[in-house]
Amino acid sequence: MYNLLISLAVGIVVALLVKLANFSIWAGLVPGLIAAVITFFFLGRRVAGQIQALMTTVQSDLQSQPTSKKDAEGRVERAVKTLEKGLVYDKWQFMVGPEIHAQIGMLKYMVKDLDGALVHFKKGSSRNYMAKAMEGALYFQRNDTPAMKAAFEAAAKSGKKEAIVWAVYAWCLLQKKEKDEALRVLGRGVEENPKDEKLKASLGQLQNDKRLKMKPYEPMWWQFGLETPPMMPPMGGGGGRRMQFVTRR
């Protein structure tokens, strides 16, 4: 990545300058390393700032309630074009491209463009738990159970502290008539989140042969589009993983 290469170049230049000042090359390693780290940090901050500005624009556009399906689709189209501008930074900073692809995938998923969503989910970051969970829900709708489980397992790995991930995973398994597997999933969720009362209640419902109630997970639950909500929540709000960029190094 360009930021890393530039940082290494700065570090090498600093080390060479120390050598030219009649010190040994070894004496220049520490200041060279420090210069490289500082340069990488500030270049990363610069890219993150540019991406965050794009995310803020997208969040602002999606925050209010759409007036119609056409309005929602138009907003998503504008948001996708805004996010795509950030892809130019993919060669500059690690994980920029995969994170943006994950965000675009979620937007397309929420307006039922499943083909478009899947293209971006496949390029998205595996550490974006909400995107991976939506990918699992997408495969559920396409009756691809192995792919569904793989996507949800990735979501559970990165979002193990997020109750919504375990709940949606279990819900999808129940629709596939895999109650025992759903029980195991909720059990794992409770094990990871022993103080989460929602997950405990969900596990208890299945253990007592009752229906799994998803109301406690609203409004995040509605973002998966697996049931029809009484009123669609704003696309960019209402819980879940909001549109924000976090630099990962």
Side-chain angles (χ1 to χ4, degrees):
M1 298 298 175
Y2 294 154
N3 282 354
L4 179 60
L5 294 176
I6 293 172
S7 301
L8 291 174
V10 169
I12 291 171
V13 168
V14 170
L16 290 176
L17 288 175
V18 172
K19 176 69 168 73
L20 292 174
N22 294 322
F23 292 94
S24 70
I25 190 64
W26 301 108
L29 287 180
V30 173
L33 179 60
I34 292 173
V37 170
I38 292 175
T39 301
F40 187 73
F41 173 78
F42 281 105
L43 288 175
R45 285 283 298 272
R46 177 178 175 275
V47 171
Q50 297 289 337
I51 299 298
Q52 188 62 58
L54 296 177
M55 295 296 185
T56 300
T57 299
V58 169
Q59 191 70 47
S60 177
D61 194 29
L62 299 180
Q63 193 66 44
S64 59
Q65 182 76 33
T67 57
S68 65
K69 181 180 179 181
K70 184 177 180 180
D71 179 30
E73 291 173 348
R75 293 189 191 196
V76 167
E77 185 178 352
R78 292 194 300 272
V80 168
K81 289 181 179 179
T82 299
L83 290 173
E84 285 176 342
K85 295 177 182 178
L87 291 174
V88 300
Y89 297 105
D90 185 31
K91 294 182 179 180
W92 286 85
Q93 186 73 12
F94 296 109
M95 295 304 297
V96 167
E99 183 66 22
I100 290 177
H101 281 298
Q103 300 285 359
I104 293 174
M106 287 191 288
L107 287 174
K108 287 183 174 289
Y109 177 88
M110 285 190 282
V111 291
K112 300 298 183 181
D113 180 5
L114 300 188
D115 289 334
L118 187 57
V119 169
H120 290 280
F121 282 150
K122 288 181 176 179
K123 297 178 181 178
S125 171
S126 61
R127 290 183 285 183
N128 188 318
Y129 66 84
M130 198 66 170
K132 296 306 294 184
M134 284 186 177
E135 183 181 353
L138 187 158
Y139 282 122
F140 162 78
Q141 294 173 72
R142 293 191 166 180
N143 295 313
D144 189 341
T145 302
M148 178 195 85
K149 291 181 179 180
F152 273 121
E153 285 297 330
K157 182 178 180 180
S158 59
K160 60 185 178 182
K161 297 301 181 181
E162 305 296 331
I164 186 66
V165 171
W166 300 105
V168 177
Y169 190 2
W171 187 92
C172 290
L173 287 168
L174 284 173
Q175 310 314 304
K176 296 292 183 181
K177 310 300 182 184
E178 296 189 28
K179 182 180 177 180
D180 289 343
E181 186 64 26
L183 279 166
R184 282 191 286 270
V185 164
L186 286 175
R188 288 164 56 196
V190 171
E191 184 177 349
E192 292 288 352
N193 304 273
K195 296 182 179 180
D196 194 302
E197 296 302 323
K198 291 185 295 185
L199 284 175
K200 288 181 181 178
S202 295
L203 179 59
Q205 288 164 13
L206 293 196
Q207 289 173 333
N208 291 292
D209 295 322
K210 295 181 179 179
R211 183 175 65 87
L212 178 60
K213 298 178 182 179
M214 297 303 289
K215 187 174 179 58
Y217 304 97
E218 297 175 7
M220 287 184 286
W221 163 240
W222 301 127
Q223 294 186 13
F224 290 88
L226 299 176
E227 289 185 323
T228 303
M231 181 181 293
M232 282 297 293
M235 289 178 292
R241 185 186 177 99
R242 295 173 68 86
M243 296 292 175
Q244 59 182 356
F245 180 79
V246 179
T247 306
R248 296 187 179 94
R249 299 183 179 84

